[in-house]
mmCIF file of all heavy atoms in Angstrom:
data_model
loop_
_atom_site.group_PDB
_atom_site.id
_atom_site.type_symbol
_atom_site.label_atom_id
_atom_site.label_comp_id
_atom_site.label_asym_id
_atom_site.label_seq_id
_atom_site.Cartn_x
_atom_site.Cartn_y
_atom_site.Cartn_z
ATOM 1 N N ASP A 254 20.587 -2.490 -4.783
ATOM 2 C CA ASP A 254 20.944 -3.858 -4.597
ATOM 3 C C ASP A 254 19.871 -4.562 -3.741
ATOM 4 O O ASP A 254 18.751 -3.837 -3.466
ATOM 5 C CB ASP A 254 22.312 -4.015 -3.999
ATOM 6 C CG ASP A 254 22.407 -3.408 -2.501
ATOM 7 O OD1 ASP A 254 21.419 -3.145 -1.943
ATOM 8 O OD2 ASP A 254 23.526 -3.232 -2.020
ATOM 9 N N ILE A 255 20.090 -5.801 -3.315
ATOM 10 C CA ILE A 255 19.022 -6.559 -2.595
ATOM 11 C C ILE A 255 18.684 -5.789 -1.263
ATOM 12 O O ILE A 255 17.538 -5.894 -0.809
ATOM 13 C CB ILE A 255 19.455 -7.973 -2.405
ATOM 14 C CG1 ILE A 255 18.261 -8.825 -1.824
ATOM 15 C CG2 ILE A 255 20.666 -8.093 -1.545
ATOM 16 C CD1 ILE A 255 17.148 -8.999 -2.739
ATOM 17 N N HIS A 256 19.668 -5.229 -0.739
ATOM 18 C CA HIS A 256 19.420 -4.548 0.684
ATOM 19 C C HIS A 256 18.551 -3.343 0.485
ATOM 20 O O HIS A 256 17.644 -3.050 1.204
ATOM 21 C CB HIS A 256 20.766 -4.199 1.296
ATOM 22 C CG HIS A 256 21.675 -5.412 1.543
ATOM 23 N ND1 HIS A 256 21.394 -6.368 2.449
ATOM 24 C CD2 HIS A 256 22.759 -5.875 0.848
ATOM 25 C CE1 HIS A 256 22.238 -7.346 2.460
ATOM 26 N NE2 HIS A 256 23.140 -7.053 1.455
ATOM 27 N N ASP A 257 18.846 -2.509 -0.624
ATOM 28 C CA ASP A 257 18.012 -1.369 -0.903
ATOM 29 C C ASP A 257 16.562 -1.839 -1.252
ATOM 30 O O ASP A 257 15.587 -1.228 -0.811
ATOM 31 C CB ASP A 257 18.556 -0.671 -2.143
ATOM 32 C CG ASP A 257 19.964 -0.164 -1.960
ATOM 33 O OD1 ASP A 257 20.277 0.337 -0.756
ATOM 34 O OD2 ASP A 257 20.741 -0.303 -2.811
ATOM 35 N N ASN A 258 16.422 -2.956 -1.878
ATOM 36 C CA ASN A 258 15.181 -3.542 -2.331
ATOM 37 C C ASN A 258 14.337 -3.855 -0.962
ATOM 38 O O ASN A 258 13.106 -3.577 -0.958
ATOM 39 C CB ASN A 258 15.377 -4.770 -3.148
ATOM 40 C CG ASN A 258 14.199 -5.012 -4.120
ATOM 41 O OD1 ASN A 258 13.645 -4.070 -4.575
ATOM 42 N ND2 ASN A 258 14.031 -6.259 -4.480
ATOM 43 N N MET A 259 15.057 -4.506 0.000
ATOM 44 C CA MET A 259 14.320 -4.816 1.189
ATOM 45 C C MET A 259 13.890 -3.607 1.932
ATOM 46 O O MET A 259 12.792 -3.542 2.501
ATOM 47 C CB MET A 259 15.229 -5.696 2.085
ATOM 48 C CG MET A 259 15.478 -7.111 1.625
ATOM 49 S SD MET A 259 16.335 -8.151 2.811
ATOM 50 C CE MET A 259 18.044 -7.613 2.528
ATOM 51 N N ASP A 260 14.764 -2.559 1.976
ATOM 52 C CA ASP A 260 14.345 -1.361 2.627
ATOM 53 C C ASP A 260 13.116 -0.705 1.950
ATOM 54 O O ASP A 260 12.166 -0.249 2.629
ATOM 55 C CB ASP A 260 15.485 -0.330 2.528
ATOM 56 C CG ASP A 260 16.713 -0.721 3.372
ATOM 57 O OD1 ASP A 260 16.597 -1.566 4.283
ATOM 58 O OD2 ASP A 260 17.800 -0.191 3.090
ATOM 59 N N LEU A 261 13.098 -0.697 0.583
ATOM 60 C CA LEU A 261 11.935 -0.149 -0.070
ATOM 61 C C LEU A 261 10.600 -0.937 0.222
ATOM 62 O O LEU A 261 9.602 -0.327 0.487
ATOM 63 C CB LEU A 261 12.221 -0.093 -1.526
ATOM 64 C CG LEU A 261 11.075 0.518 -2.485
ATOM 65 C CD1 LEU A 261 10.889 1.943 -2.218
ATOM 66 C CD2 LEU A 261 11.458 0.277 -3.939
ATOM 67 N N ALA A 262 10.773 -2.167 0.214
ATOM 68 C CA ALA A 262 9.532 -3.041 0.374
ATOM 69 C C ALA A 262 9.056 -2.868 1.835
ATOM 70 O O ALA A 262 7.873 -2.666 2.042
ATOM 71 C CB ALA A 262 9.914 -4.466 0.290
ATOM 72 N N GLU A 263 9.919 -2.753 2.797
ATOM 73 C CA GLU A 263 9.468 -2.594 4.213
ATOM 74 C C GLU A 263 8.907 -1.193 4.364
ATOM 75 O O GLU A 263 7.905 -1.001 5.050
ATOM 76 C CB GLU A 263 10.698 -2.757 5.211
ATOM 77 C CG GLU A 263 10.299 -2.676 6.631
ATOM 78 C CD GLU A 263 11.441 -3.063 7.560
ATOM 79 O OE1 GLU A 263 12.425 -3.766 7.126
ATOM 80 O OE2 GLU A 263 11.274 -2.725 8.786
ATOM 81 N N ASP A 264 9.540 -0.163 3.878
ATOM 82 C CA ASP A 264 8.999 1.182 3.945
ATOM 83 C C ASP A 264 7.603 1.302 3.324
ATOM 84 O O ASP A 264 6.748 1.940 3.848
ATOM 85 C CB ASP A 264 9.935 2.113 3.284
ATOM 86 C CG ASP A 264 11.235 2.416 3.990
ATOM 87 O OD1 ASP A 264 11.401 1.948 5.168
ATOM 88 O OD2 ASP A 264 12.196 2.927 3.437
ATOM 89 N N MET A 265 7.434 0.712 2.160
ATOM 90 C CA MET A 265 6.151 0.733 1.457
ATOM 91 C C MET A 265 5.081 0.051 2.263
ATOM 92 O O MET A 265 3.965 0.707 2.463
ATOM 93 C CB MET A 265 6.274 0.186 0.016
ATOM 94 C CG MET A 265 4.935 0.285 -0.712
ATOM 95 S SD MET A 265 4.887 -0.614 -2.316
ATOM 96 C CE MET A 265 4.770 -2.232 -1.727
ATOM 97 N N LEU A 266 5.285 -1.133 2.763
ATOM 98 C CA LEU A 266 4.260 -1.838 3.555
ATOM 99 C C LEU A 266 3.897 -1.096 4.751
ATOM 100 O O LEU A 266 2.759 -0.983 5.170
ATOM 101 C CB LEU A 266 4.771 -3.236 3.805
ATOM 102 C CG LEU A 266 4.866 -4.221 2.617
ATOM 103 C CD1 LEU A 266 5.578 -5.530 2.943
ATOM 104 C CD2 LEU A 266 3.384 -4.527 2.029
ATOM 105 N N ARG A 267 4.798 -0.548 5.500
ATOM 106 C CA ARG A 267 4.559 0.257 6.728
ATOM 107 C C ARG A 267 3.703 1.406 6.331
ATOM 108 O O ARG A 267 2.812 1.803 7.071
ATOM 109 C CB ARG A 267 5.864 0.649 7.361
ATOM 110 C CG ARG A 267 6.652 -0.409 8.026
ATOM 111 C CD ARG A 267 7.895 0.161 8.733
ATOM 112 N NE ARG A 267 8.741 -0.856 9.331
ATOM 113 C CZ ARG A 267 8.494 -1.435 10.565
ATOM 114 N NH1 ARG A 267 7.444 -0.939 11.197
ATOM 115 N NH2 ARG A 267 9.251 -2.312 11.060
ATOM 116 N N TYR A 268 4.130 2.109 5.232
ATOM 117 C CA TYR A 268 3.349 3.384 4.858
ATOM 118 C C TYR A 268 1.905 2.988 4.564
ATOM 119 O O TYR A 268 0.964 3.691 4.952
ATOM 120 C CB TYR A 268 4.115 3.857 3.574
ATOM 121 C CG TYR A 268 3.364 5.123 3.049
ATOM 122 C CD1 TYR A 268 3.786 6.339 3.388
ATOM 123 C CD2 TYR A 268 2.359 5.076 2.170
ATOM 124 C CE1 TYR A 268 3.167 7.579 2.948
ATOM 125 C CE2 TYR A 268 1.746 6.151 1.597
ATOM 126 C CZ TYR A 268 2.115 7.417 2.068
ATOM 127 O OH TYR A 268 1.480 8.558 1.505
ATOM 128 N N LEU A 269 1.726 1.923 3.792
ATOM 129 C CA LEU A 269 0.273 1.544 3.408
ATOM 130 C C LEU A 269 -0.498 1.199 4.534
ATOM 131 O O LEU A 269 -1.695 1.607 4.622
ATOM 132 C CB LEU A 269 0.371 0.391 2.373
ATOM 133 C CG LEU A 269 1.072 0.703 1.071
ATOM 134 C CD1 LEU A 269 1.055 -0.527 0.172
ATOM 135 C CD2 LEU A 269 0.376 1.898 0.326
ATOM 136 N N ILE A 270 -0.028 0.401 5.513
ATOM 137 C CA ILE A 270 -0.781 0.006 6.652
ATOM 138 C C ILE A 270 -1.040 1.209 7.604
ATOM 139 O O ILE A 270 -2.168 1.352 8.052
ATOM 140 C CB ILE A 270 0.035 -1.087 7.408
ATOM 141 C CG1 ILE A 270 0.033 -2.381 6.568
ATOM 142 C CG2 ILE A 270 -0.625 -1.306 8.771
ATOM 143 C CD1 ILE A 270 0.954 -3.395 7.080
ATOM 144 N N LYS A 271 -0.077 2.035 7.802
ATOM 145 C CA LYS A 271 -0.387 3.295 8.550
ATOM 146 C C LYS A 271 -1.378 4.136 7.889
ATOM 147 O O LYS A 271 -2.284 4.711 8.485
ATOM 148 C CB LYS A 271 0.919 4.075 8.746
ATOM 149 C CG LYS A 271 0.775 5.254 9.717
ATOM 150 C CD LYS A 271 2.099 5.925 9.986
ATOM 151 C CE LYS A 271 1.938 6.994 11.068
ATOM 152 N NZ LYS A 271 0.881 8.015 10.834
#
Side-chain angles (χ1 to χ4, degrees):
D254 62 16
I255 188 67
H256 303 289
D257 302 317
N258 210 31
M259 289 189 281
D260 291 342
L261 180 64
E263 183 170 345
D264 289 347
M265 184 187 74
L266 289 168
R267 288 181 182 278
Y268 178 93
L269 296 178
I270 290 168
K271 186 174 188 305

